[in-house]
Amino acid sequence: MRISDIGSLLPCHSNVDPDVVISALNRMIDDATDGNTVFYDFYTPEEKQAEPALVNTGLFLFRGKPGAPFAVVAPGGGFSYVGSVHEGFPYAAEISKAGYNVFVLKYRLGYGGRVATEDLAAAISYIFRNAEALRVSTAAYSRWGSSAGARMAAAIGSYGVAAYGGPDLPKPATVVMAYTGHSDTSADEPPTFVVVGERDGIVPPSAMERRVVVLRNAGVDVEYRKYRDVGHGFGVGSNTSAEGWVAEAIRFWVQFINAGKQ
């Protein structure tokens, strides 16, 4: 199929831009051609042998500056597919251009949100354990997610990696949530950047707005953006009113990176 036609098969994504997709894929191809590792297994061979579904997991790395903070991106897909090519990789390409290291998570499908979130917890644990070899800083890291992926990122933001089978690790400096119905909150939420399209027929903006109100009432730093004439799954928002939102989310995150340096 043509890349421009793929959106017709994806119930959770409305804006698949061929130029954006190809640019992100070419970036990864260039990294591999230069001899850089672009894919990491965060489960061991023994774990994969014991649980065959773990074979379909891993982390793609878009490198920024050596020693810079990292972001982890959990693409959406309703826990039935992982929207890496048209959502995860394009996010990573933009974030890495700003100098940050970005991991895109490939998680298990068909087991629901809990299992997928356990994969995210395992991936974050792997990055912390191997930060020196990966040449990333674990200070002031961020978690990004869209749709189902935002549920995962927010859940660990609320309750920590340990609640999903990992060690007791620091919470992120920022959680970035795009077009999700996740409403749960805890008493200790990280700063949060939220985006949604006003014409989202899968997750009405009101669902996200209710969570934003709860966070703000609890004193959490929150920025919220609602974009006109945009539906669910708009990715980086190319050629829509949401275009540029990833850069805004990076600026929000940088505030808290800088605050940690003071």
Side-chain angles (χ1 to χ4, degrees):
M1 295 181 70
R2 293 177 181 270
I3 293 175
S4 57
D5 296 332
I6 290 175
S8 64
L9 299 179
L10 304 175
C12 298
H13 293 87
S14 61
N15 186 37
V16 179
D17 186 316
D19 291 335
V20 170
V21 169
I22 291 169
S23 177
L25 291 175
N26 281 340
R27 160 63 198 277
M28 192 157 46
I29 291 169
D30 289 343
D31 283 353
T33 301
D34 289 341
N36 295 312
T37 301
V38 297
F39 185 79
Y40 293 85
D41 287 305
F42 55 86
Y43 288 117
T44 66
E46 294 75 19
E47 289 171 321
K48 291 191 172 189
Q49 185 174 12
E51 176 52 70
L54 295 179
V55 172
N56 297 313
T57 61
L59 283 169
F60 295 91
L61 173 57
F62 284 64
R63 299 176 186 277
K65 295 178 181 177
F70 73 88
V72 180
V73 176
F79 302 117
S80 61
Y81 65 93
V82 182
S84 299
V85 172
H86 41 281
E87 187 176 77
F89 297 160
Y91 290 2
E94 287 205 26
I95 300 166
S96 66
K97 285 178 185 177
Y100 302 102
N101 299 288
V102 192
F103 297 89
V104 180
L105 175 67
K106 185 180 180 186
Y107 50 88
R108 282 175 286 177
L109 299 171
Y111 297 92
R114 174 75 196 192
V115 169
T117 306
E118 289 172 357
D119 288 342
L120 176 56
I124 294 168
S125 302
Y126 173 86
I127 297 167
F128 268 76
R129 287 196 310 271
N130 296 280
E132 184 174 353
L134 294 168
R135 303 176 73 189
V136 304
S137 169
T138 59
Y141 74 104
S142 63
R143 296 197 197 114
W144 298 56
S146 299
S147 196
R151 289 181 176 271
M152 298 156 57
I156 294 185
S158 295
Y159 299 107
V161 170
Y164 293 90
D168 186 15
L169 296 176
K171 288 196 173 185
T174 300
V175 169
V176 179
M177 302 174 63
Y179 38 85
T180 183
H182 182 81
S183 59
D184 188 29
T185 60
S186 72
D188 182 23
E189 292 286 340
T192 303
F193 190 93
V194 181
V195 295
V196 68
E198 69 171 4
R199 294 189 177 181
D200 194 326
I202 296 177
V203 179
S206 58
M208 300 194 76
E209 288 166 356
R210 286 193 293 271
R211 190 173 194 273
V212 167
V213 169
V214 171
L215 295 179
R216 285 176 172 166
N217 287 342
V220 178
D221 288 300
V222 180
E223 285 198 24
Y224 172 65
R225 302 284 188 275
K226 180 167 65 176
Y227 298 107
R228 69 184 186 280
D229 299 325
V230 175
H232 195 80
F234 52 78
V236 296
S238 57
N239 301 309
T240 76
S241 62
E243 189 162 11
W245 79 263
V246 173
E248 290 189 42
I250 294 169
R251 286 195 292 270
F252 181 80
W253 176 28
V254 169
Q255 296 178 62
F256 302 99
I257 294 175
N258 293 336
K261 296 177 180 177
Q262 295 176 358

